[in-house]
């Protein structure tokens, strides 16, 4: 019996030692670093949560940097610890990731919103731009640039995101057909690589790193500063919505609009299932009269499609803009009785999702699971996709907005890390679903995830050539398939700028150090 007790004690000691060896002694090493900001080793739970509300990975520490040097010092410290260290680093902006991409299990999360250096500075002139911190929110950039009568060219639909976060993906919205995504409107970056090096890069200076980081999913470096291109800002927006019964007509009109000049400044499409996309669309807004008219429209249970258009203008040009809008609308084949129009200030239009966010938060419906699925579908396959998905998979109800609109590939720089379909025009299709945590029905997380899998399987079986936007995969094979011909270039860039696999642990494309093999 004594021997048995001794064996058990020895075994427990062995297990404890193994656990201790696997957990890095972070506090003792990080506390020695000379930084202007500070580490928090206790209040870290907020960094184990994101907008997706599906994953929770607790870090050992959260860095609140005051300068770029703080970030570089931390990453370099971990780099010098070598491959034996299990420490990883995740840059967290506004926490809008969907599947734990901005989290670091037993690692270090960098609170990028603490980084206020350099101070935002707007440069006017013939080629205006703004220099901003990678942790700055786009809504703050909008407010500051508007003081100079300027604004960025390309946006996302939600502006309460950080610059570094959107540039690490692409940044797509209804302006992308004309100006491309946000990664096509950046002139220069400052990046902290996985070795802790601070590098300035642009199209002409350290261009390989510049294009690697843009759309690079955080794999090659942390964006600490960006130079964003600007243009003169309008004061007002004329917002138009029209409905379609037929997808072919709907898509044909969208494709015509993005192919001609002097048309609308913003073009997005929505799928309407049992009118949920029309009346409960938290990404749009109607004027007080429109919901009444919309509710009177009888869809008879059909799936409809909504085309949302915006024309920017200044008040003194209103008559001219109205004429241009009516001329453009006359060429569309929408349902004549479903024309909804409103005029709103430019800033109100761009920040409209935040208004809906405030309402949803007041009802406790914002911080719920968001099992979103974002796809890029080649133009030649979009009709087959529509028939398969909206005809067979999503038929009765929608748990959130479904976006579907085309963009021109020519507006994207093919040197970036973003992965796109192999056609000149492709569609963004975004299923922006919300789940009720306790529900077991169609609005529950299990049902929605099952639905997402069916959509992906349909794309695979149909040979649609779809690519995921904001991708997340669990196996190396899936990542290789996602990147396709770009895989080897992606691998080479990773081995150059983050050879130990320190960065972006929540988006695990490569394993640390020893697993770098093709």
């Amino acid at each position: 019996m004594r021997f048995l007790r001794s064996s058990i004690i020895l075994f427990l000691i062995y297990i404890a030692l193994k656990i201790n060896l696997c957990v890095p002694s972070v506090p003792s090493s990080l506390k020695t670093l000379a930084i202007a900001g500070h580490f928090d080793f206790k209040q870290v739970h907020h960094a184990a949560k994101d907008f997706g509300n599906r994953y929770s990975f607790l870090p050992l520490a959260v860095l609140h940097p005051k300068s770029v040097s703080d970030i570089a010092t931390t990453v370099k410290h971990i780099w010098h610890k070598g491959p034996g260290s299990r420490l990883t680093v995740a840059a967290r902006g506004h926490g809008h990731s969907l599947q734990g991409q901005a989290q670091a299990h037993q690692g270090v999360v960098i609170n990028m919103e603490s980084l206020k250096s350099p101070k935002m500075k707007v440069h006017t002139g013939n080629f205006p731009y703004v220099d901003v911190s990678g942790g700055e929110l786009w809504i703050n950039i909008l407010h500051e640039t508007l003081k100079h009568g300027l604004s960025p060219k390309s946006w996302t639909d939600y502006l309460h995101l950080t610059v570094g976060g959107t540039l690490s993906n692409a940044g797509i919205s209804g302006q992308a057909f004309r100006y491309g995504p946000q990664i096509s409107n950046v002139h220069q970056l400052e990046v902290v690589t996985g070795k802790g090096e601070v590098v300035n890069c642009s199209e002409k200076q350290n261009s390989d790193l510049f294009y690697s980081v843009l759309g690079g999913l955080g794999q090659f470096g942390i964006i600490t500063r960006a130079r964003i291109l600007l243009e003169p800002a309008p004061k007002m927006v004329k917002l138009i919505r029209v409905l379609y019964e037929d997808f072919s007509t709907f898509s044909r009109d969208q494709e015509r609009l993005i192919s001609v000049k002097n048309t609308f400044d913003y073009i997005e499409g929505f799928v309407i299932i049992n009118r949920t996309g029309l009346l409960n669309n938290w990404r749009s807004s109607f004027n007080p009269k429109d919901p009444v008219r919309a509710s009177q429209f009888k869809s008879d249970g059909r799936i409809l499609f909504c085309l949302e258009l915006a024309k920017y203008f200044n008040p003194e040009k209103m008559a001219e803009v109205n004429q241009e809008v009516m001329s453009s609308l006359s060429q569309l084949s929408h349902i004549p009785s479903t024309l909804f129009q409103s005029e709103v200030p430019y800033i109100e239009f761009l920040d409209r999702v935040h208004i809906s966010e405030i309402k949803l938060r007041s009802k406790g419906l914002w911080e719920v699971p968001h099992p979103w699925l974002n796809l890029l579908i080649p133009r030649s396959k979009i009709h087959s996709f529509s028939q398969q998905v909206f005809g067979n998979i999503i038929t009765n109800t929608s748990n959130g907005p479904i976006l579907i609109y085309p963009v021109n590939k020519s507006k994207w720089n093919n040197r970036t890390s973003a992965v796109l379909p192999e056609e000149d025009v492709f569609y963004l299709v975004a299923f922006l679903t919300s789940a009720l945590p306790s529900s077991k029905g169609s609005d529950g997380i299990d049902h929605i995830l099952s639905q997402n899998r069916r959509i992906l399987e349909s794309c695979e079986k149909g040979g649609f050539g779809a690519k995921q936007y904001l991708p997340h995969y669990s196996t190396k094979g899936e990542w290789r398939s996602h990147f396709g011909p770009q895989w080897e270039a992606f691998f080479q860039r990773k081995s150059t700028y983050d050879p130990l696999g320190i960065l972006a642990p929540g988006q695990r494309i490569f394993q640390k150090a020893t697993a770098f093999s093709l």
Side-chain angles (χ1 to χ4, degrees), residues 168-186:
S168 294
N169 290 285
I172 310 176
S173 184
Q175 302 91 354
F177 79 95
R178 173 170 294 173
Y179 294 115
Q182 290 178 319
I183 58 174
S184 293
N185 294 277
V186 184

Side-chain angles (χ1 to χ4, degrees), residues 43-106:
Q43 302 299 322
V44 298
H45 288 81
H46 70 282
K49 185 179 181 181
D50 61 18
F51 179 71
N53 263 303
R54 293 175 52 208
Y55 297 88
S56 181
F57 304 111
L58 198 66
L60 287 174
V62 175
L63 170 64
H64 298 270
K66 283 190 176 180
S67 68
V68 174
S69 178
D70 289 353
I71 298 173
T73 297
T74 301
V75 176
K76 185 176 292 185
H77 173 75
I78 296 172
W79 159 255
H80 283 315
K81 289 177 76 69
S85 167
R86 294 179 179 270
L87 286 178
T88 55
V89 176
R92 175 187 174 89
H94 206 55
H96 207 74
S97 58
L98 298 174
Q99 302 191 67
Q101 289 95 330
Q103 300 178 35
H105 176 63
Q106 295 294 292

Side-chain angles (χ1 to χ4, degrees), residues 1 45 92 142 205 223 243 273 371 422 449 516 518:
M1 183 65 70
H45 288 81
R92 175 187 174 89
L142 177 60
Q205 178 187 16
I223 297 173
L243 300 183
I273 300 175
E422 296 179 357
L449 290 176
F516 280 105
L518 289 171

Side-chain angles (χ1 to χ4, degrees), residues 103-118:
Q103 300 178 35
H105 176 63
Q106 295 294 292
V108 178
V109 170
I110 300 176
N111 179 15
M112 295 300 294
E113 289 189 83
S114 294
L115 183 66
K116 299 303 181 184
S117 176

Side-chain angles (χ1 to χ4, degrees), residues 52 60 291 349 381 399 411 420 477 484:
L60 287 174
F349 167 70
K381 301 295 183 180
N399 298 302
K411 302 299 181 180
L420 307 176

